Amino acid sequence: VTGATQEVRYLLVGVGNVGRRFLELTVLKAETLRRLGLVLVPVGVADSSGIALSSEGLDPRRIVALKAAGQGVADYPGWGQRGVGPLQMVRSSVTPLPAGAPTGAGPGLLIDASPANMVDGQPGLGCIEAALQAGLHVVTANKAPLVLAFPRLQALARERGVRLGFDATVAGGLPAVNLGQRDLAAAGITRLEGVLNLTTNYILTRMADDGLTYDQALAEAQAAGHAETDPRLDVEGWDAANKLVILAHSVLGQPATLADVEVEGILGVTPEMLRQAAAQDRRIKLLAVAEQRSSGWHLSVAPLALDAGHPLAGLGGKQMGIVYHTDINGALSATIVEDTPLPTAAAVLRDVVDILGG
Amino acid sequence: VTGATQEVRYLLVGVGNVGRRFLELTVLKAETLRRLGLVLVPVGVADSSGIALSSEGLDPRRIVALKAAGQGVADYPGWGQRGVGPLQMVRSSVTPLPAGAPTGAGPGLLIDASPANMVDGQPGLGCIEAALQAGLHVVTANKAPLVLAFPRLQALARERGVRLGFDATVAGGLPAVNLGQRDLAAAGITRLEGVLNLTTNYILTRMADDGLTYDQALAEAQAAGHAETDPRLDVEGWDAANKLVILAHSVLGQPATLADVEVEGILGVTPEMLRQAAAQDRRIKLLAVAEQRSSGWHLSVAPLALDAGHPLAGLGGKQMGIVYHTDINGALSATIVEDTPLPTAAAVLRDVVDILGG
């Protein structure tokens, strides 16, 4: 830490649960960030209402206040624009500056906190590509572009000499990618296991511990904001599978698509099965597993009964976790308790600090 | 990864459990290290027999073979020297080169894997100071110099523009320091809890799970190599306290000495207490705790009965773990299973890669 601070001008796509909390964190943690060498200034923010764009910098508090009032960034006084999409915002922001313009005036970072669109990854994918192409670092909390185009995005980042941070996509605030990529850089990973989906873990835990039916547990999860109105992505196992695909690419060095993952959700788990498991001192968890077979990595997501001694067996309803079995580093486990999307926003901030901090 | 590799010439002090395994790892992982941009070449190695020193580079396999045969590095053909201590080795290695010598011929890294001498930190402390002073990076698995002189060593490293890596000192292969310093850089840590000593956790677990007496469990731990012949440092809680002091300095930003830690070992834990705890579904662990009080951080090590849901309650006899309670990142826990000192040696290698890797 040299005491020098760097002003980082950034674009933000998506001001939902994570994006909004990220903006709040930049205000709450302004002093800490300054100590870490960073002053973060949003210069373009997009949500479903449109965009707010100003090379003078936007006020994150103002944006949070607009969202709290049920408005959108298009309502931002002076700088709001309706009918403009995020990709247009990114493209216009990274347009080459006119000769003689002060250097460093353009944004240096794109944050993608837009909803995961598993069909074509848009608008996140297009925004990330445009940003990397223009030499911006990218930090994303959006799984879809990675699941659909990880190798292309990684190659593009490398080619442009910028970084793509995505630890927030895998298990909220848990540094699952960091642990695998960085702490185990010299180790050989022999097996990976993860409880990567909060909704299903919440449902299974409430069913097992409190005798709720699936419908009751789901309704409760939805009421508490732990489950989407359409829970299929979660309960059918696809969200966990998406995360496993990202880990396969980034940590295991195994190109993979969703089609490579054997997926079974929790809909077949009955109260009776949970009772039987408990009677044997076991706990059923929706486990994402990567295991090395002679044919290569085998990827699966399925409900499994874990022995009580398994490091993920004791996870409560608001926890996620991961276990890396390694050749030289023992078996390394990490778990996190998350009550809100705040740790996911904190993981975005962590990636920003990691990439740009002093 | 650019494909360029850097030859890193290093000095190693101590060829016991950790130092020897580190040498083995550099051979086993040579290909991985090359991919990470590193070729590690020992140019000076010290143990209790003396030193082996050669600017042409020593063969790590040869040193491992000497140790396996009950010999020491002083027996290294051609380059072994008896009656020379590690500090003398470091000093002579970092002597300014004669004019016209090829640049880069001196070592760039010191690894301290010497035994922890809690009285005055020697010889590790002197070697680390001499190395930092001469502009070498330092990676240490030796707690003593840090416990006795953390602020001085950290200031020296900063002043010389080099890095001091020490994650191997806290909980073997667990990246406890990395998680706290790096993954939680922007978070505020509100409380830290750790099971940081393997010996006491092994003893307590065997007593609780298998009904052994303290003496039986200790004898077994010693036979299995999990406890020293003189177990006082472990069972009286001082080893855990040392680790807590290092975490206080490095992660909590709290200068601390052993005298600041309230320490109680496991000698007062009776089989009856373990039975009573088990009857209440609780587990007694030797817990290192840092908690914020109005007067600042309060540091303690003591046997505590943890509820079954506590992330460290389920630790088996060969596990250690840490929990960081934070303001914005939820509660982050990490645990590791370690059967041998290999993960500690792997943690040394991790620090080397982190500091010098491409």
Side-chain angles (χ1 to χ4, degrees):
Chain A
V1 181
T2 58
T5 57
Q6 177 194 3
E7 185 181 274
V8 176
R9 300 160 74 79
Y10 69 94
L11 304 173
L12 171 65
V13 177
V15 197
N17 270 331
V18 173
R20 180 171 155 184
R21 281 183 175 80
F22 176 80
L23 290 171
E24 289 170 349
L25 281 181
T26 63
V27 175
L28 178 70
K29 291 289 181 179
E31 191 49 47
T32 302
L33 290 168
R34 193 177 287 274
R35 193 166 43 71
L36 294 167
L38 291 179
V39 175
L40 299 179
V41 179
V43 292
V45 178
D47 68 8
S48 54
S49 74
I51 68 168
L53 187 66
S54 166
S55 62
E56 294 177 16
L58 302 161
D59 181 352
R61 281 162 300 199
R62 176 65 69 109
I63 299 168
V64 171
L66 285 171
K67 301 299 283 191
Q71 295 182 284
V73 295
D75 301 302
Y76 195 103
W79 306 114
Q81 302 176 43
R82 249 167 247 289
V84 182
L87 182 58
Q88 205 178 329
M89 174 183 82
V90 175
R91 288 204 174 127
S92 68
S93 304
V94 300
T95 302
L97 296 165
T103 56
L109 170 71
L110 170 79
I111 295 172
D112 179 12
S114 63
N117 168 355
M118 298 314 302
V119 179
D120 62 8
Q122 301 303 347
L125 180 54
C127 292
I128 291 176
E129 283 186 298
L132 292 174
Q133 192 74 42
L136 275 65
H137 298 292
V138 170
V139 172
T140 178
N142 175 5
K143 287 176 290 292
L146 299 175
V147 172
L148 297 170
F150 190 95
R152 194 168 83 230
L153 297 177
Q154 197 179 38
L156 187 55
R158 192 172 293 154
E159 186 190 306
R160 300 292 166 172
V162 292
R163 286 181 57 195
L164 172 62
F166 51 88
D167 212 342
T169 61
V170 173
L174 192 74
V177 175
N178 280 354
L179 284 169
Q181 281 194 334
R182 197 190 42 199
D183 293 306
L184 299 174
I189 296 166
T190 53
R191 181 183 170 88
L192 177 164
E193 300 170 321
V195 170
L196 304 177
N197 178 267
L198 203 57
T199 307
T200 47
N201 196 44
Y202 183 85
I203 292 172
L204 289 177
T205 307
R206 292 288 281 153
M207 289 173 72
D209 294 357
D210 307 301
L212 270 60
T213 65
Y214 169 81
D215 288 333
Q216 288 169 329
L218 172 62
E220 206 188 74
Q222 286 170 329
H226 299 313
E228 306 290 329
T229 313
D230 179 356
R232 282 175 302 177
L233 194 67
D234 292 321
V235 301
E236 291 177 1
W238 296 107
D239 177 70
N242 283 333
K243 292 165 172 175
L244 189 58
V245 166
I246 294 172
L247 287 171
H249 277 293
S250 60
V251 174
L252 306 178
Q254 167 77 25
T257 68
L258 264 188
D260 299 317
V261 188
E262 227 175 271
V263 181
E264 181 189 337
I266 64 165
L267 294 169
V269 180
T270 63
E272 178 55 24
M273 288 163 70
L274 291 162
R275 268 192 300 275
Q276 279 185 5
Q280 299 166 333
D281 204 15
R282 306 176 92 190
R283 312 259 300 167
I284 295 178
K285 297 286 175 190
L286 184 67
L287 205 69
V289 178
E291 57 185 359
Q292 276 190 312
R293 296 190 180 171
S294 55
S295 53
W297 285 100
H298 180 260
L299 308 176
S300 63
V301 171
L304 290 178
L306 306 180
D307 288 333
H310 189 286
L312 303 178
L315 288 184
K318 294 174 180 176
Q319 289 186 270
M320 293 183 283
I322 194 159
V323 186
Y324 288 109
H325 297 264
T326 77
D327 56 350
I328 64 170
N329 220 281
L332 182 61
S333 308
T335 65
I336 196 161
V337 181
E338 298 202 13
D339 277 350
T340 72
L342 185 64
T344 300
V348 172
L349 187 61
R350 176 172 63 212
D351 274 350
V352 171
V353 168
D354 191 40
I355 293 174
L356 290 155
Chain B
V1 182
T2 58
T5 57
Q6 176 193 5
E7 184 181 274
V8 175
R9 301 159 73 78
Y10 70 96
L11 304 173
L12 171 64
V13 177
V15 196
N17 269 332
V18 173
R20 182 171 153 183
R21 281 183 175 79
F22 175 79
L23 290 171
E24 289 169 351
L25 281 181
T26 63
V27 176
L28 179 70
K29 291 289 181 179
E31 192 48 48
T32 302
L33 290 169
R34 193 178 288 272
R35 193 166 43 73
L36 294 166
L38 291 179
V39 174
L40 299 178
V41 179
V43 292
V45 178
D47 68 7
S48 54
S49 74
I51 69 169
L53 189 65
S54 166
S55 63
E56 293 176 17
L58 301 161
D59 181 353
R61 282 162 298 201
R62 175 67 69 110
I63 298 167
V64 170
L66 286 172
K67 302 299 284 191
Q71 296 182 284
V73 295
D75 302 302
Y76 195 102
W79 305 114
Q81 301 176 44
R82 249 168 246 290
V84 182
L87 182 57
Q88 206 178 329
M89 174 183 81
V90 175
R91 288 205 175 126
S92 68
S93 303
V94 301
T95 302
L97 296 166
T103 55
L109 171 70
L110 171 79
I111 295 171
D112 179 12
S114 62
N117 167 357
M118 298 313 303
V119 178
D120 61 9
Q122 302 302 347
L125 180 53
C127 291
I128 291 176
E129 284 186 298
L132 293 174
Q133 191 75 41
L136 276 65
H137 297 292
V138 171
V139 173
T140 179
N142 176 5
K143 287 178 289 291
L146 300 175
V147 172
L148 297 170
F150 191 95
R152 195 168 82 231
L153 297 177
Q154 196 179 40
L156 187 56
R158 190 171 296 155
E159 185 190 306
R160 301 291 165 173
V162 291
R163 284 181 58 194
L164 172 62
F166 51 88
D167 212 341
T169 61
V170 171
L174 192 74
V177 175
N178 280 355
L179 285 169
Q181 281 194 332
R182 198 190 42 199
D183 292 306
L184 299 174
I189 296 166
T190 53
R191 181 184 170 89
L192 177 164
E193 300 170 321
V195 170
L196 305 177
N197 178 268
L198 204 56
T199 307
T200 48
N201 195 45
Y202 183 85
I203 293 173
L204 290 177
T205 307
R206 291 289 279 153
M207 289 173 72
D209 294 357
D210 307 301
L212 270 61
T213 64
Y214 169 79
D215 289 333
Q216 288 169 329
L218 172 61
E220 205 189 74
Q222 286 170 329
H226 298 314
E228 306 290 329
T229 314
D230 178 355
R232 282 176 302 177
L233 194 68
D234 292 321
V235 300
E236 292 177 0
W238 296 107
D239 177 70
N242 283 333
K243 291 163 172 176
L244 188 57
V245 165
I246 294 171
L247 288 170
H249 276 293
S250 60
V251 174
L252 306 178
Q254 166 77 25
T257 68
L258 265 188
D260 299 319
V261 188
E262 227 175 86
V263 181
E264 182 188 336
I266 64 165
L267 294 170
V269 180
T270 63
E272 178 55 25
M273 288 161 70
L274 291 163
R275 269 192 298 276
Q276 280 185 5
Q280 298 166 335
D281 205 15
R282 306 176 92 189
R283 311 258 301 167
I284 295 178
K285 297 286 176 192
L286 184 67
L287 205 69
V289 178
E291 57 184 0
Q292 276 191 313
R293 296 190 179 172
S294 54
S295 54
W297 285 101
H298 180 260
L299 309 175
S300 64
V301 171
L304 290 178
L306 305 180
D307 287 333
H310 189 287
L312 302 178
L315 289 184
K318 294 173 179 176
Q319 289 187 270
M320 293 184 283
I322 195 159
V323 186
Y324 288 109
H325 297 265
T326 77
D327 56 350
I328 64 171
N329 220 281
L332 182 62
S333 308
T335 64
I336 195 161
V337 181
E338 298 202 12
D339 278 349
T340 71
L342 185 65
T344 300
V348 172
L349 186 62
R350 175 171 65 210
D351 274 350
V352 171
V353 168
D354 190 42
I355 293 174
L356 290 155

